Amino acid sequence: MRNKLLTILAWLALAISPAITGRAANEFVPGIVWKDTGGNPINAHGGGMLMHDGVYYWYGEFKTGRTYLPDCNKSWGGTRVDLTGISCYSSTNLTDWKNEGIVLAAVPGDQTNDLYPGNVLERPKVVYNAATRQFVLWMHVDSANYAAARYGVAVSDRPAGPFKYLGSFRPDAGVWPLNVTAEDKQPSATNILARDFAAGQMARDMTVFVDDDGQAYLFYSSEENPTMHVSLLTDDYRHTTGKYARIFIGRSMEAPTVFKHGGKYYLIASACTAWAPNAARSAVAENIFGPWKELGNPCTGPDAINTFHAQSTYVLPLPGQPDRFIFMADRWKQWNLPDSRYLWLPLEFSAEGKPVLPWRERWSLAASGAR
Ligand code: GAL
């Protein structure tokens, strides 16, 4: 009798779960309000993902409170919410997420602190360093008008934090890139690389990629955004080494995601239009420092032209499944940033080896061929 009752209860839970969450068990539904296991909307924007000891950790910008447009950002529509911190959620199946709380919190009351609520804190990415056994959190920290353009680094002994903030810097100060030309070294009004040579290069949208050999690289929009840099990190993943290259010169790419497939490096990123969506870009390289060859917009289906109203944030390789990846993106709401939504899609490869992102109303890992 008790078993029967338990079975009925389990079926009931399954039946009502779509009503509560807007989705069936183990299903991804791009664009819905995605609730955590506590029934609250997941709040982890511009996110990144780490898999550690069989658990996935999703880190993101915790966006709450009023969305407003500061005077300094009026010309380009750069709305914002005050900085609260970085959130973390954990899951073993990628669809049901437990809120692990704020792993790095804002520091109110001290205007000189990078984590002061009036500043910007975006696109957190966490990587695990096997040598130091530390989780290293990289993030874009900035002034409200995005002029500071720096990276913050924090560390923790545990994936779910709390993280200790170590400070911020601009990468690769006093070093020319691997592919520098004589012209690049000539100071001029438009040469941002040379302007920032001594102080360090501007660092905004970013991601961190760890290669098979354990070396980690930072990909970041630099030089006021038109050009991206790829920088090798130190062995402890806490700093840049000074070995870096300029890539996608003058192409104005943001929101980079990087992954490896069949021994080649792939990148999916957006164009540079603030919160407004645009057509995604993709590219491939044999060498991480380039040359990178652009492969065009990977999206297919309705609204492929604006990445299904979203912007890339991370590509998650599925462990043990070399050909399978999940593309994670943000569907920003410029005037209500906390209500921005998530869009996850299965990433496929065409017969010619190009990444493809077909639109899906709803999908599940099992139905798309996962073991
Ligand atoms: C986007 C960028 C976001 C955020 C936003 C501000 O282009 O990818 O991370 O900085 O601009 O408008």
Side-chain angles (χ1 to χ4, degrees), residues 12-330:
L12 255 178
L14 268 182
I16 61 172
S17 101
I20 296 170
T21 63
R23 61 181 181 85
N26 300 119
E27 199 180 39
F28 300 98
V29 186
I32 57 158
V33 174
W34 191 349
K35 300 212 173 137
D36 65 19
T37 52
N40 298 307
I42 294 174
N43 194 331
H45 309 276
M49 188 75 73
L50 172 78
M51 213 282 247
H52 190 75
D53 285 347
V55 180
Y56 294 95
Y57 296 89
W58 175 359
Y59 305 89
E61 303 156 24
F62 189 84
K63 288 197 181 297
T64 188
R66 190 174 68 94
T67 302
Y68 62 96
L69 179 60
D71 283 347
C72 58
N73 295 348
K74 274 212 165 114
S75 62
W76 56 280
T79 55
R80 53 169 282 124
V81 292
D82 280 347
L83 184 171
T84 313
I86 291 173
S87 54
C88 175
Y89 292 80
S90 64
S91 173
T92 50
N93 65 3
L94 291 170
T95 50
D96 301 308
W97 292 93
K98 175 176 172 255
N99 187 356
E100 299 281 355
I102 300 290
V103 295
L104 183 73
V107 180
D110 175 8
Q111 292 204 17
T112 65
N113 196 299
D114 287 344
L115 305 179
Y116 180 69
N119 287 335
V120 166
L121 176 57
E122 290 180 342
R123 300 193 175 271
K125 302 287 175 282
V126 175
V127 284
Y128 176 65
N129 189 289
T132 62
R133 295 192 179 173
Q134 284 204 314
F135 298 84
V136 186
L137 163 60
W138 282 75
M139 65 210 104
H140 168 202
V141 296
D142 223 319
S143 43
N145 65 358
Y146 289 83
R150 298 165 74 81
Y151 283 131
V153 177
V155 291
S156 176
D157 295 332
R158 288 174 299 275
F163 283 81
K164 180 174 174 257
Y165 191 67
L166 300 178
S168 71
F169 66 99
R170 275 196 174 186
D172 303 317
V175 193
W176 292 112
L178 294 169
N179 52 347
V180 74
T181 64
E183 199 187 335
D184 293 338
K185 293 184 178 177
Q186 295 306 314
S188 79
T190 52
N191 187 346
I192 312 297
L193 181 84
R195 183 196 72 186
D196 291 343
F197 175 77
Q201 296 298 321
M202 293 184 85
R204 292 197 181 122
D205 275 13
M206 49 76 86
T207 197
V208 181
F209 169 76
V210 181
D211 207 345
D212 305 328
D213 60 4
Q215 297 222 284
Y217 300 83
L218 185 68
F219 283 74
Y220 59 100
S221 306
S222 195
E223 304 179 35
E224 300 284 5
N225 287 351
T227 294
M228 201 173 273
H229 291 181
V230 51
S231 246
L232 175 67
L233 297 189
T234 51
D235 287 346
D236 63 7
Y237 298 171
R238 288 174 172 213
H239 226 284
T240 49
T241 53
K243 183 174 179 183
Y244 73 109
R246 302 174 78 212
I247 57 176
F248 308 115
I249 294 171
R251 291 286 292 138
S252 292
M253 282 156 79
E254 285 194 316
T257 69
V258 178
F259 53 101
K260 203 169 181 181
H261 170 68
K264 293 183 181 164
Y265 302 95
Y266 288 85
L267 173 139
I268 295 179
S270 71
C272 196
T273 55
W275 298 120
N278 52 59
R281 319 257 182 94
S282 66
V284 63
E286 309 256 342
N287 183 320
I288 202 158
F289 290 113
W292 283 83
K293 182 179 165 229
E294 286 199 48
L295 300 174
N297 182 354
C299 302
T300 61
D303 296 331
I305 193 69
N306 62 19
T307 317
F308 320 113
H309 304 271
Q311 185 187 31
S312 43
T313 187
Y314 197 74
V315 168
L316 173 70
L318 292 180
Q321 301 183 50
D323 296 331
R324 294 180 49 82
F325 301 84
I326 298 179
F327 172 76
M328 295 167 52
D330 295 284

